[in-house]
């Protein structure tokens, strides 16, 4: 009985708070000539609290975050499955620039986060990296450094119960990182393509130029250090593989926060 009562109380609290912003998200004056700057300032105050989750507003905990879904990177030459993705860096994200155009109902923001460090489990089947073919499964660590994230969306207005609300549409995220590093445990080379230009592979003592089968990985017992050096050497190629995955993931959670707030709070209650 107490559990049922608690659920009812939480539901009533949710309804009661549905007409105003969370207390930790200060309002801006709609007539402020520097409205975009005000939104940036107030949002940066709220971000660490928003990513911690707010059940009343339908926002799940986003930092730390462990995804239960399976992520696939399916290309003809790179078949990768990612599970148990974990990271805890969204709490450190900050808005550098904000552009809000009320009449056009457009919003654009430029975010910055110094480091995004992610861990996951992976399975890679015949993945081409830098002219070599790899397969393996195990732990995956990805670190993205000095990240700029550009986000844009349109706030589409609609009426519900005689009040005007908004929902996002045509949202996009673009990620630009200064550098990145990747570590795959259990990664093994299965083939070397003849036109591979990798210094770490061609200089490895186990690569014999007079081999009868230069493309056969069984004749090339490369050690873990050589493979790690090779992965580091080809980080930019790997980054292009993982960049769309990161953009989709970031966009998904931006939508969760923005749409959850707008679903519960009428537009007029976002501003003084």
């Amino acid at each position: 009985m107490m559990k049922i009562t608690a659920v009812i109380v939480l539901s009533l609290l949710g309804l009661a708070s549905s007409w105003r912003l969370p207390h930790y998200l200060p309002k801006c004056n709609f007539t402020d000539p520097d409205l975009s700057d005000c939104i940036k300032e107030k949002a940066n105050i709220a971000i660490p609290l928003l990513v911690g989750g707010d059940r009343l507003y339908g926002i799940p905990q986003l930092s730390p975050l462990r995804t239960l879904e399976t992520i696939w990177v399916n290309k003809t030459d790179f078949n990768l499955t990612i599970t148990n993705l974990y990271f805890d860096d969204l709490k450190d994200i900050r808005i550098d620039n904000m552009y809000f155009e009320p009449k056009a109902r457009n919003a654009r923001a430029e975010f910055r986060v110094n480091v995004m460090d992610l861990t996951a489990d992976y399975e890679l089947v015949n993945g081409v990296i830098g002219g070599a073919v790899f397969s393996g499964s195990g732990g995956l660590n990805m670190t993205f450094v000095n990240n700029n994230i550009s986000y844009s969306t349109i706030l589409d207005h609609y009426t519900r119960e005689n009040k005007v609300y908004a929902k996002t549409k045509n949202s996009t995220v673009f990620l630009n990182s200064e550098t990145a590093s990747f570590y795959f445990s259990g990664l093994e080379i299965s083939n070397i393509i003849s036109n591979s230009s990798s210094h770490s592979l061609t200089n490895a003592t186990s690569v014999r130029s007079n081999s009868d089968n230069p493309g056969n990985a069984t004749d090339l017992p490369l050690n873990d250090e050589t493979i790690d050096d090779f992965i580091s050497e080809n980080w930019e190629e790997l980054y292009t593989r993982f960049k769309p995955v990161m953009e989709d993931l970031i966009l998904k959670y931006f939508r969760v926060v923005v749409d959850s707030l707008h679903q519960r709070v009428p537009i007029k209650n976002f501003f003084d």
Side-chain angles (χ1 to χ4, degrees):
M1 180 65 180
M2 291 184 65
K3 290 183 178 179
I4 296 174
T5 303
V7 170
I8 294 173
V9 170
L10 285 174
S11 299
L12 291 174
L13 286 172
L15 289 172
S17 63
S18 64
W19 304 111
R20 60 182 184 272
L21 285 174
H23 64 89
Y24 49 82
L25 185 54
K27 291 183 180 181
C28 292
N29 191 312
F30 192 76
T31 61
D32 187 341
D34 298 318
L35 179 59
S36 293
D37 288 338
C38 178
I39 294 173
K40 179 187 77 171
E41 177 187 348
K42 306 304 185 185
N44 279 331
I45 293 173
I47 283 173
L49 297 168
L50 282 171
V51 298
D54 191 325
R55 190 182 347 179
L56 291 179
Y57 288 85
I59 301 172
Q61 185 181 39
L62 301 177
S63 188
L65 174 70
R66 185 182 297 277
T67 65
L68 300 177
E69 63 191 276
T70 299
I71 300 171
W72 289 276
V73 182
N74 291 324
K75 305 292 183 181
T76 56
D77 60 350
F78 198 81
N79 192 345
L80 177 73
T81 304
I82 299 173
T83 55
N84 298 320
L85 182 68
Y86 174 89
F87 67 111
D88 188 22
D89 299 307
L90 286 180
K91 66 182 185 299
D92 300 319
I93 198 169
R94 293 293 178 270
I95 302 175
D96 278 344
N97 292 292
M98 180 76 200
Y99 310 93
F100 178 58
E101 303 169 14
K103 291 184 179 180
R105 301 176 184 177
N106 291 337
R108 292 178 290 125
E110 295 174 1
F111 295 83
R112 171 179 46 83
V113 57
N114 292 334
V115 176
M116 293 191 293
D117 189 39
L118 302 91
T119 61
D121 297 323
Y122 83 94
E123 182 176 2
L124 178 65
V125 179
N126 295 330
V128 177
I129 307 170
V133 183
F134 290 87
S135 294
S137 62
L140 166 63
N141 179 263
M142 302 176 285
T143 302
F144 303 87
V145 180
N146 292 337
N147 306 281
N148 293 306
I149 301 167
S150 298
Y151 168 71
S152 66
T153 192
I154 296 174
L155 294 172
D156 196 19
H157 292 188
Y158 67 98
T159 301
R160 188 179 77 234
E161 297 177 352
N162 298 320
K163 291 180 173 58
V164 180
Y165 294 82
K167 59 182 177 180
T168 60
K169 71 174 185 178
N170 299 336
S171 304
T172 61
V173 159
F174 294 100
L175 170 67
N176 183 40
S177 308
E178 183 177 306
T179 186
S181 62
F182 303 87
Y183 172 75
F184 299 80
S185 68
L187 190 65
E188 297 181 352
I189 187 167
S190 56
N191 195 14
I192 294 179
I193 301 173
S194 59
N195 63 355
S196 173
S197 59
S198 167
H199 297 298
S200 57
L201 291 186
T202 56
N203 293 337
T205 56
S206 57
V207 179
R208 301 196 299 273
S209 60
N210 61 350
S211 170
D212 293 335
N213 298 294
N216 190 340
T218 60
D219 197 36
L220 303 169
L222 302 179
N223 58 36
D224 291 343
E225 183 178 354
T226 300
I227 291 178
D228 290 345
D229 289 343
F230 174 80
I231 294 298
S232 296
E233 181 182 323
N234 290 276
W235 74 267
E236 290 179 286
E237 180 179 337
L238 279 166
Y239 179 72
T240 63
R241 304 280 195 183
F242 283 97
K243 182 173 179 284
V245 175
M246 291 301 300
E247 290 172 336
D248 288 346
L249 192 67
I250 294 168
L251 178 57
K252 173 183 176 180
Y253 292 111
F254 278 8
R255 280 176 173 158
V256 167
V257 173
V258 177
D259 281 340
S260 293
L261 285 173
H262 278 286
Q263 182 181 358
R264 290 160 175 78
V265 182
I267 292 174
K268 70 175 184 177
N269 289 354
F270 274 82
F271 305 97
D272 285 329

